[in-house]
Amino acid sequence: MAFDEIRKQAIAEWEALQHSDKPRILVGTATCGRAAGALAVLETIERELSRLGIEATVTQVGCIGLCYAEPIVDIIKPNRPRICYSSVTPEIISRLIEDYLVNDNPRSDLALGFIGEGSVDGIPKLFELPMLKPQVRISLRNCGHIDPTDIKQYIANDGYSGFIKALKMTPEEVIAEVKKSGVRGRGGAGFPTGQKWEFCRRSPGKEKYLICNADEGDPGAFMNRSQLESDPHAVLEGILIGAYAIGTTKGYIYCRAEYPLAVERLNIALEQMREYGLLGENILGSGFSFDIEIKEGAGAFVCGEETALMASIEGKRGMPRSRPPFPAVSGLWGKPTNINNVGTWADVAAVLQKGGEWYSHFGSETSKGTKTFSLAGKVARTGLIEVPMGIRLGDIIYEVGGGIVGGKKFKAVLTGGPSGGCLPASMLELSVDYENLTKAGSIMGSGGMLVADEDTCMVDMARFFLSFTQAESCGKCVPCRVGTRQMLDSLERITQGGGQPGDIERLEQLAHLVLSTSLCALGGTAPNPVLTTIRYFRDEYEAHIYQKRCPALVCSKLISYYILPDKCEGCGICLRACPVEAITGGKRMVHVIDQDKCTKCGTCLSVCPERFSAVVKVSGEKLDVPSEPIPVVSSRAKRKSESSDKP
């Protein structure tokens, strides 16, 4: 069947679905939804529909990005708007089906928002909600709206129209369109995509390769995973366009094995593409042949670096090599190779569908388009977001993210994952694009964005992320292998109370050495969290080193727990809860913590009744409290005596 006929059929089926006389229920079953219990909700839906004798179309969709509100279920009654319900449980969905589908009560008290024309009493429009309103969905345009396992739903929503358009152009014209869009690589340094393709296209030799880098290894990052689980065909269409432009017949998707659902949905999508003539020999009769193979990575962070990734595909140990030659000249098996990440390929499909000029209207002067981020940490609304380049950092954290959990103060945000930098509250006016993040000492990276509140120790945060990159170092070059280890040793010593004068200066010296002499980008960016925390939070380093104090009360070796004699009622709750028996005291006795035995676990503080608040946590000071248990009565008498002595 010709693709035009396939497209007409797909659109007809999609329109019939939109105007069905049956209710439709959409369930978000990407990994975030599943982790929150979406599969149990799905099972309940099917059981309740059967019990009530209701005929409905139930569709599993991907992640719409509101991860904080999972599981998410949308209900669409015929000729009614689509209503989105959040934090749905099996019990809630049972009530919803009966209340809304049977009794026509949409339960506005349970609804998050609606999509469609008109209004619904008591329910706001979904895309007018604070988290969604500032967003522009290009890369994530279909996520949460279509069935990711149904190629027809993708085709019905302009899917593969960009590829069809590309086939009617010369490869050079396709590259020119991508260059016109201004789209830059969404996985790291932001190299112009069209220029990268042009280098590979012009490299001599008929045998060339294309790679999709889906090796997302940043702690707290989930952009690639969500995109592949929710809309794999958008990525695959971009890959087809890129393959045609650079002139290759073979492509690889390098995806982490820890992403089983993403791999599963990719495999389904590839089979569908072959069935519809979008992969293989002489695609759609165009004379262009291309096929894709999935390579599952073993979870090494360094394999996100393109030369290490290529070594892994070749069956070698994933270790980087020096450049030049660059992959566009000599890459996979020594042949010209083009590598882009998941977000870049999805953007490319949109660029060819709607035009480079259209895409270039979004974003800033030097950073065009939008960028997906995984917003995580101490922010009220966590999730997958897509915002225009150039948006204020503060708008992401406070408008999109809803501010800090519990109303606490914002302290810092780590952008770019463990290779990125920690930016303080003074940078909230920063326009988020490649150049500005680099000037601030951070990077865009793949798009991880981890928010820290006032209770975060920045020295400990730097230690944590350096421990990750140090453990993930392949060990090939000395600056990264030895330098990161020495930096980590210093940070561990500082957080444990062993900091010495000159440590900050030595850390900076080491960091710049590792940054400038490491073989690959892992070593070249690993010092960023250290350098930025020293740059913006130097006072915390000085407190740790010179005062042996952790201002955030996080570093266990620098904190102590005490029981205040004027507040302790001798109830014994903390004594019974202490896992190392470091607390002594009998009934109606003021309890005492043996500082030599105390492991700083904080159990005593967490179990002490709020009405007493007798346990306190301090750093850098020693409180004057009894060394042995004393009667509560004596303690009260002492307080009374002290009170009577006051004028």
Side-chain angles (χ1 to χ4, degrees):
M1 187 187 298
F3 191 78
D4 281 347
E5 290 301 313
I6 292 172
R7 185 170 181 273
K8 286 178 183 177
Q9 187 183 78
I11 292 173
E13 290 181 12
W14 178 257
E15 288 298 318
L17 186 64
Q18 304 310 303
H19 299 95
S20 172
D21 57 1
K22 294 179 184 178
R24 295 173 57 211
I25 301 176
L26 311 181
V27 185
T29 57
T31 295
C32 50
R34 294 182 179 208
L39 294 183
V41 171
L42 181 64
E43 185 180 330
T44 304
I45 290 171
E46 292 168 345
R47 186 177 64 246
E48 288 299 297
L49 292 175
S50 176
R51 181 180 70 84
L52 295 167
I54 299 173
E55 286 190 37
T57 303
V58 181
T59 305
Q60 295 187 48
V61 296
C63 174
I64 200 169
L66 307 174
C67 300
Y68 77 98
E70 295 283 2
I72 290 175
V73 175
D74 291 6
I75 300 178
I76 311 167
K77 292 187 73 170
N79 304 312
R80 302 281 189 88
R82 168 180 165 184
I83 300 179
C84 174
Y85 298 93
S86 63
S87 304
V88 178
T89 63
E91 294 75 25
I92 288 174
I93 197 62
S94 296
R95 295 200 302 271
L96 269 174
I97 289 173
E98 192 151 349
D99 288 346
Y100 190 26
L101 294 188
V102 177
N103 299 319
D104 204 30
N105 176 6
R107 292 300 302 270
S108 59
D109 57 316
L110 299 174
L112 183 64
F114 78 91
I115 300 173
E117 299 300 322
S119 62
V120 183
D121 287 344
I123 304 176
K125 287 193 173 184
L126 187 69
F127 284 91
E128 290 296 316
L129 294 178
M131 184 174 188
L132 292 171
K133 191 172 183 178
Q135 297 192 44
V136 175
R137 297 296 181 102
I138 296 176
S139 188
L140 306 179
R141 55 195 176 275
N142 295 317
C143 296
H145 300 290
I146 66 171
D147 180 351
T149 65
D150 187 347
I151 189 174
K152 286 186 178 180
Q153 292 198 10
Y154 179 71
I155 291 172
N157 287 275
D158 287 335
Y160 292 106
S161 64
F163 174 58
I164 300 300
K165 189 184 297 183
L167 289 178
K168 297 174 183 177
M169 304 161 67
T170 66
E172 290 76 15
E173 287 173 335
V174 173
I175 291 173
E177 194 69 22
V178 173
K179 290 174 78 172
K180 184 193 295 183
S181 74
V183 63
R184 297 168 63 172
R186 294 299 190 249
F191 193 83
T193 301
Q195 191 175 337
K196 194 174 190 179
W197 289 13
E198 191 170 53
F199 288 154
C200 192
R201 173 82 188 170
R202 291 180 176 178
S203 292
K206 289 187 177 180
E207 192 176 1
K208 297 177 182 179
Y209 294 98
L210 177 151
I211 297 172
C212 171
N213 184 351
D215 190 57
E216 182 177 56
D218 299 7
F222 47 87
M223 298 79 60
N224 294 353
R225 187 203 74 212
S226 295
Q227 199 148 19
L228 292 173
E229 291 174 354
S230 305
D231 189 18
H233 285 288
V235 179
L236 294 169
E237 181 179 2
I239 290 173
L240 276 179
I241 293 165
Y244 174 74
I246 68 172
T248 177
T249 61
K250 181 68 175 181
Y252 291 89
I253 299 175
Y254 191 90
C255 186
R256 300 176 73 80
E258 295 95 332
Y259 286 177
L261 185 59
V263 172
E264 176 189 323
R265 290 185 173 171
L266 274 172
N267 277 314
I268 291 170
L270 291 175
E271 286 304 310
Q272 291 172 339
M273 290 175 72
R274 293 186 181 99
E275 180 185 345
Y276 282 79
L278 292 165
L279 276 184
E281 296 293 324
N282 192 24
I283 295 172
L284 302 180
S286 65
F288 167 60
S289 300
F290 181 70
D291 209 346
I292 298 172
E293 182 179 332
I294 296 174
K295 169 71 175 178
E296 294 186 42
F301 181 66
V302 72
C303 285
E305 194 277 335
E306 55 187 18
T307 60
L309 183 154
M310 290 187 293
S312 180
I313 291 177
E314 292 172 351
K316 303 171 186 174
R317 182 180 174 189
M319 300 176 78
R321 63 164 172 79
S322 59
R323 297 178 298 177
F326 291 95
V329 175
S330 177
L332 200 58
W333 290 294
K335 306 298 182 183
T337 304
N338 184 86
I339 305 176
N340 287 115
N341 92 320
V342 169
T344 313
W345 293 120
D347 275 7
V348 162
V351 166
L352 266 292
Q353 286 172 12
K354 297 193 175 183
E357 188 175 347
W358 167 83
Y359 186 89
S360 69
H361 289 154
F362 300 99
S364 66
E365 185 63 31
T366 57
S367 299
K368 301 296 185 182
T370 59
K371 179 70 180 78
T372 58
F373 293 98
S374 57
L375 191 58
K378 299 294 186 178
V379 66
R381 294 191 287 262
T382 57
L384 181 67
I385 67 171
E386 183 174 3
V387 292
M389 288 282 198
I391 187 173
R392 284 176 62 254
L393 185 61
D395 289 342
I396 293 178
I397 292 166
Y398 284 96
E399 288 191 31
V400 178
I404 309 304
V405 175
K408 294 193 174 182
K409 291 181 180 178
F410 166 76
K411 190 169 190 178
V413 59
L414 178 81
T415 71
S419 299
C422 296
L423 306 179
S426 61
M427 306 293 286
L428 287 174
E429 293 297 322
L430 183 79
S431 295
V432 178
D433 60 23
Y434 292 101
E435 286 75 21
N436 283 321
L437 286 175
T438 301
K439 286 178 187 176
S442 189
I443 59 173
M444 184 76 72
S446 59
M449 194 169 280
L450 189 66
V451 179
D453 67 8
E454 59 188 292
D455 295 332
T456 304
C457 172
M458 301 312 296
V459 184
D460 185 64
M461 191 171 181
R463 180 205 59 78
F464 172 80
F465 283 106
L466 189 65
S467 71
F468 175 83
T469 47
Q470 199 283 322
E472 292 292 335
S473 171
C474 73
K476 185 175 182 178
C477 72
V478 173
C480 182
R481 183 181 72 243
V482 179
T484 56
R485 179 69 259 177
Q486 291 181 339
M487 289 174 66
L488 182 58
D489 286 345
S490 293
L491 287 170
E492 287 177 340
R493 184 166 41 79
I494 291 170
T495 56
Q496 292 171 10
Q500 301 169 359
D503 275 348
I504 299 175
E505 291 72 23
R506 280 190 290 271
L507 269 172
E508 288 179 309
Q509 185 180 18
L510 263 173
H512 287 295
L513 180 66
V514 172
L515 186 150
S516 59
T517 59
S518 290
L519 180 62
C520 79
L522 188 150
T525 56
N528 282 344
V530 179
L531 287 171
T532 50
T533 50
I534 291 175
R535 177 176 173 181
Y536 298 118
F537 302 95
R538 192 183 189 94
D539 58 327
E540 290 199 30
Y541 280 85
E542 291 172 345
H544 281 71
I545 294 169
Y546 299 108
Q547 302 169 23
K548 308 303 178 190
R549 180 175 66 88
C550 175
L553 301 176
V554 169
C555 300
S556 61
K557 295 290 185 181
L558 298 178
I559 63 175
S560 300
Y561 292 88
Y562 291 95
I563 298 174
L564 302 176
D566 59 339
K567 291 190 176 183
C568 179
E569 292 293 327
C571 65
I573 294 176
C574 62
L575 183 148
R576 293 188 293 271
C578 180
V580 293
E581 299 180 348
I583 300 177
T584 56
K587 189 175 181 180
R588 306 299 294 165
M589 300 287 286
V590 172
H591 292 13
V592 174
I593 299 175
D594 186 331
Q595 298 298 325
D596 293 329
K597 285 186 178 181
C598 180
T599 58
K600 328 288 185 169
C601 68
T603 301
C604 54
L605 180 63
S606 64
V607 301
C608 182
E610 189 176 345
R611 65 183 184 277
F612 301 150
S613 298
V615 181
V616 294
K617 179 167 67 170
V618 299
S619 179
E621 59 179 316
K622 184 176 180 180
L623 299 191
D624 183 18
V625 297
S627 57
E628 297 291 337
I630 61 172
V632 169
V633 175
S634 298
S635 175
R636 285 178 176 170
K638 181 182 178 184
R639 296 201 307 268
K640 186 176 181 181
S641 173
E642 289 174 347
S643 177
S644 64
D645 289 340
K646 293 179 182 178

